[in-house]
Amino acid sequence: MNPFLEGYRYLPQINSPEELRRLPESALRDVCAELRSYLIDVITQVGGHFGAGLGVVELTVALHYVFNTPEDRIIWDTGHQGYPHKVLTGRRDLLPTIRRKGGISGFLKREESPYDAFGAGHASTSISAALGIATARDLQGKKFKVVAVIGDGAMTGGLAYEAMNNCGLQQRDLLVILNDNNMSIAPNVWALSNYFTRLFASPTGVKLRKAARELTEQMDEIGDRLRRLIARLEGGVKAVITPGMLFEALGFKYFGPVNGHNVQLLVRLLRSLKELRGPVLLHVLTQKGKGYEPAERDRQNLHAIGKIDKLTGKPLGDSTAPKPPLYQTVFGNAMVELCERDPRIVGITAAMPDGTGLNIVQQRFPERVFDVGIAEAHAVTFAAGLATEGMLPVCAIYSTFLQRAFDQIIHDVALQHLHVVFALDRAGLVGQDGPTHHGVFDLAYLRIIPGMVVMAPKDEQELRNMLYSALYCYTDGPAALRYPRGHGVGVPLGPMQPIPLGKGEILRSGDALAVIAVGKLVQEALKAAELLEPEGIRIEVVNARFVKPLDTELLEKLAQRFELLVTVEDGQAIGGFGSAVLEFLAQRSNRTTEVVVCGIPDRFIEHATQEEQLHDLGLDAVGIAQRVRQLLEQRSSRRWWTRRFFPSR
């Protein structure tokens, strides 16, 4: 029994879109109200992405009511729009498990449901995927419909326009719905919305507006009303004509914009549009956070939530226990300090100023922070251009999203030896956002790039030191520092100090074996050493600091002192830090040291809390301690067998 469903009339009956389609059209408004209320009831209690789903309730109901899903394919962009879709497609009672270990994903996932036609965690992918599906349909002689729902800022990504251009060329039957809520996660930076602003700012436009203002100022109350009418007309022209012209030029039949919260209007429109041939675009206007006043008022901070007070929208939790600052806050404050000293420093983000901490810099130096929208590839090449003119650009981008700019890092930055600093937030395992958002590939994909410096701090102060060093010490090419999601460890913060290039540090001496850890897992290795100490097992703990270049001098000394080295990292074990250590030691002709690599295995890690993920992978303190015990027991056993059967050795 689902306690969240008590008192609802229609929602308990809807276990699939087929059951939704059995309802009379007159019931849809009530269905939408119940669905929105259910989302608010559940997500305020369990947390998750919030505002975007509330904004697409009517659109989701209309789509499943008109189209014969799952035979007809609906492809959702930026999967956090998909919560209402999940409720209507058999996962209603599983919604309280969303983003929890063993529960349903917070994003679209093909393995989870036949209604999830295409997985979505990163933005701007829906139109490309929809065109691929439509092309496969036509080549196979099938007849189903294909709908792409793009929005919540995804139209700022270049991939969407590449896809639309190809849609216009191929002229296949598909419907693209632009969910226009004027937001991504931060406010939308879509340049097209400013097209007519520039037009009205032209000399002719200025003269016309000045004349109209002078005339209406002489008309008292009527003049006030006329000025308001002119302002509304100007906004309407920008909203209606500009996107229509663009999409028609790309080969689409354009309709809209229309009210995205009128479910019966949407049903009528979708019934008509699904019969049209060729690519069609429907532009719907929605409100992020619709129906929940705190989310309507604060669309940015209630984009995604933990547990909150349903009445006030305020977070719930232990407010009495002080916590160390978030890593993103430490980074943002360090950037402000450096910007105050050096006018060459600028920050670049891809639609995530708050998530990266650059909002702190934005408040102090608004002209020196550039939010380029969901366009990571452009962000990197834009930074490269800045670097050619002597600026010091810092690209603050989530690790998972920087993957989208891999070619630009190589071709536009590293190949030209340009000094660009990459600050990779949310590195390692990120918890409940799951495999689409884990930053576990960065160590592997960055260390293969010639001239790249790759660092990971063990704590907040080291993050500050690495940022300073990346800007002023390692200037022959690009440098990257990657740091985790969440709070720091609580070390006191002091002045920023340079770190010698490629130098690690021994944090704890031991004689059993050496554990060489990277970034966040340095703290887990130190805790593991404390767990083992009472057992008489003393391990040496090394903070690698650098994944590239390696501290080869330190590695040589460790290899001479220890028969066994254990590397620990919260990145892919294949090609990561441990691989780098193995590659170096393999070149030693007298190599006798065994290296055991502990990292993310060769699979995608499902959503859970960060603590659960680290524990399950054996990368927390308990897991590292247990691995050390096993390795020492195995080595002791091998020695016994060697002495027993090969006494001469």
Side-chain angles (χ1 to χ4, degrees):
M1 183 66 182
N2 186 343
F4 290 102
L5 283 177
E6 292 182 11
Y8 289 120
R9 177 183 178 186
Y10 292 108
L11 207 55
Q13 306 174 37
I14 303 173
N15 297 294
S16 70
E18 184 178 1
E19 292 174 322
L20 171 67
R21 292 190 282 268
R22 291 175 190 159
L23 296 174
E25 190 175 327
S26 59
L28 295 185
R29 188 172 296 175
D30 290 335
V31 170
C32 292
E34 291 187 5
L35 177 52
R36 180 170 280 111
S37 178
Y38 181 69
L39 289 170
I40 293 169
D41 288 344
V42 174
I43 303 305
T44 56
Q45 291 295 308
V46 304
H49 290 98
F50 194 49
L54 295 179
V56 294
V57 166
E58 287 82 7
L59 178 59
T60 307
V61 169
L63 283 168
H64 282 296
Y65 194 75
V66 171
F67 289 92
N68 185 31
T69 54
E71 181 181 349
D72 292 336
R73 315 294 203 263
I74 299 175
I75 299 95
W76 294 89
D77 219 304
T78 48
H80 45 66
Q81 296 184 98
Y83 285 28
H85 162 83
K86 288 175 180 278
V87 173
L88 296 178
T89 54
R91 288 164 282 183
R92 178 198 61 220
D93 295 338
L94 292 174
L95 189 67
T97 73
I98 199 161
R99 291 160 47 92
R100 294 184 176 183
K101 184 179 178 181
I104 59 175
S105 170
F107 298 96
L108 281 300
K109 190 173 183 181
R110 283 171 51 81
E111 304 96 298
E112 191 174 284
S113 170
Y115 293 93
D116 292 2
F118 195 80
H122 293 184
S124 311
T125 60
S126 61
I127 304 176
S128 294
L131 181 59
I133 292 169
T135 301
R137 171 200 64 196
D138 296 346
L139 291 174
Q140 296 170 4
K142 297 179 180 179
K143 299 298 181 184
F144 58 83
K145 302 293 182 181
V146 180
V147 182
V149 184
I150 187 167
D152 211 35
M155 283 297 289
T156 63
L159 182 63
Y161 294 95
E162 295 176 26
M164 292 185 71
N165 182 61
N166 199 229
C167 286
L169 177 68
Q170 293 199 36
Q171 285 294 303
R172 299 190 187 276
D173 295 342
L174 78 158
L175 171 62
V176 174
I177 297 177
L178 170 57
N179 168 33
D180 183 359
N181 62 11
N182 200 36
M183 289 282 288
S184 49
I185 293 170
N188 204 327
V189 291
W190 195 18
L192 291 173
S193 66
N194 295 320
Y195 174 81
F196 268 84
T197 300
R198 295 196 301 270
L199 177 64
F200 282 109
S202 67
T204 302
V206 169
K207 288 180 182 178
L208 287 172
R209 294 178 68 174
K210 182 179 179 182
R213 184 172 61 252
E214 290 174 349
L215 178 63
T216 55
E217 283 175 351
Q218 302 174 26
M219 302 172 68
D220 299 327
E221 187 177 341
I222 296 175
D224 292 338
R225 290 202 296 268
L226 282 173
R227 282 194 297 276
R228 288 195 295 269
L229 178 61
I230 290 169
R232 287 162 56 192
L233 177 62
E234 180 181 332
V237 168
K238 286 190 286 185
V240 179
I241 299 179
T242 306
M245 290 172 61
L246 170 71
F247 299 132
E248 292 278 354
L250 287 171
F252 281 78
K253 300 180 183 72
Y254 172 84
F255 298 87
V258 299
N259 181 0
H261 297 301
N262 186 331
V263 66
Q264 292 173 323
L265 169 65
L266 290 173
V267 166
R268 291 195 298 271
L269 276 170
L270 291 173
R271 281 175 175 159
S272 300
L273 296 180
K274 79 173 188 176
E275 303 304 325
L276 294 180
R277 309 293 294 175
V280 176
L281 187 137
L282 174 62
H283 184 175
V284 302
L285 301 177
T286 62
Q287 181 179 11
K288 193 165 185 173
K290 174 71 174 178
Y292 183 63
E293 196 273 334
E296 292 178 1
R297 186 177 63 248
D298 190 356
R299 297 180 295 169
Q300 191 163 335
N301 288 326
L302 273 76
H303 165 75
I305 59 174
K307 295 180 181 181
I308 64 172
D309 185 310
K310 180 181 171 182
L311 295 178
T312 66
K314 301 296 182 183
L316 296 174
D318 183 9
S319 59
T320 61
K323 292 183 178 180
L326 295 165
Y327 276 102
Q328 67 202 56
T329 304
V330 173
F331 167 76
N333 288 331
M335 280 286 290
V336 169
E337 289 182 43
L338 293 168
C339 284
E340 286 173 341
R341 305 179 204 168
D342 193 337
R344 297 175 299 164
I345 298 174
V346 295
I348 302 166
T349 181
M352 298 298 294
D354 287 18
T356 59
L358 281 183
N359 62 315
I360 302 171
V361 191
Q362 206 169 37
Q363 293 166 7
R364 177 71 177 81
F365 300 100
E367 74 286 356
R368 289 166 62 184
V369 173
F370 302 94
D371 183 353
V372 302
I374 302 176
E376 292 83 7
H378 163 63
V380 172
T381 305
F382 173 55
L386 284 161
T388 65
E389 297 300 315
M391 301 297 286
L392 296 177
V394 179
C395 276
I397 298 175
Y398 287 8
S399 173
T400 182
F401 297 140
L402 191 62
Q403 295 164 188
R404 297 159 66 100
F406 180 63
D407 177 66
Q408 285 70 32
I409 299 171
I410 294 176
H411 184 271
D412 299 334
V413 178
L415 184 61
Q416 302 187 84
H417 309 287
L418 292 173
H419 184 210
V420 175
V421 175
F422 296 97
L424 281 69
D425 202 327
R426 271 59 166 185
L429 296 164
V430 298
Q432 293 168 318
D433 281 341
T436 60
H437 282 58
H438 292 320
V440 298
F441 303 106
D442 50 11
L443 297 180
Y445 75 70
L446 288 175
R447 82 173 188 87
I448 65 173
I449 300 174
M452 176 70 76
V453 174
V454 185
M455 302 172 278
K458 71 179 184 300
D459 57 38
E460 306 96 300
Q461 180 60 38
E462 199 161 70
L463 168 59
R464 288 166 56 82
N465 295 343
M466 285 182 175
L467 178 61
Y468 178 88
S469 301
L471 282 165
Y472 295 113
C473 302
Y474 324 139
T475 58
D476 294 334
L481 52 146
R482 50 101 73 176
Y483 44 93
R485 179 180 192 171
H487 294 272
V489 300
V491 299
L493 300 182
M496 288 176 253
Q497 302 289 336
I499 299 175
L501 178 63
K503 292 300 178 183
E505 59 177 352
I506 297 173
L507 299 177
R508 183 171 180 140
S509 297
D511 51 22
L513 55 76
V515 175
I516 314 171
V518 174
K520 175 185 175 76
L521 296 195
V522 171
Q523 305 299 330
E524 299 300 323
L526 288 169
K527 294 174 188 174
E530 293 175 1
L531 293 175
L532 293 167
E533 184 86 26
E535 303 172 29
I537 301 174
R538 297 177 63 252
I539 63 173
E540 188 140 306
V541 178
V542 179
N543 172 24
R545 292 203 291 210
F546 291 86
V547 173
K548 186 178 183 180
L550 290 174
D551 190 341
T552 54
E553 182 181 354
L554 178 58
L555 286 174
E556 283 280 9
K557 291 178 179 178
L558 292 172
Q560 292 170 9
R561 291 176 52 216
F562 296 100
E563 296 179 348
L564 182 59
L565 304 179
V566 178
T567 65
V568 181
E569 61 196 295
D570 56 348
Q572 286 296 113
I574 296 176
F577 171 70
S579 290
V581 172
L582 280 167
E583 290 163 12
F584 168 71
L585 293 179
Q587 298 171 24
R588 298 168 71 243
S589 59
N590 61 340
R591 180 197 168 197
T592 57
T593 305
E594 180 183 356
V595 178
V596 175
V597 176
C598 298
I600 309 297
D602 189 22
R603 60 182 173 87
F604 294 104
I605 307 304
E606 293 302 324
H607 57 275
T609 66
Q610 288 175 296
E611 293 75 18
E612 289 171 333
Q613 289 163 343
L614 288 173
H615 181 74
D616 291 348
L617 294 169
L619 294 175
D620 61 356
V622 172
I624 294 170
Q626 182 58 26
R627 184 68 169 137
V628 167
R629 293 187 195 98
Q630 292 173 347
L631 290 169
L632 293 176
E633 288 172 4
Q634 291 169 3
R635 183 164 287 271
S636 176
S637 178
R638 285 201 300 269
R639 283 174 178 159
W640 184 88
W641 282 100
T642 299
R643 288 195 301 269
R644 175 70 175 80
F645 294 102
F646 303 97
S648 61
R649 295 188 183 182

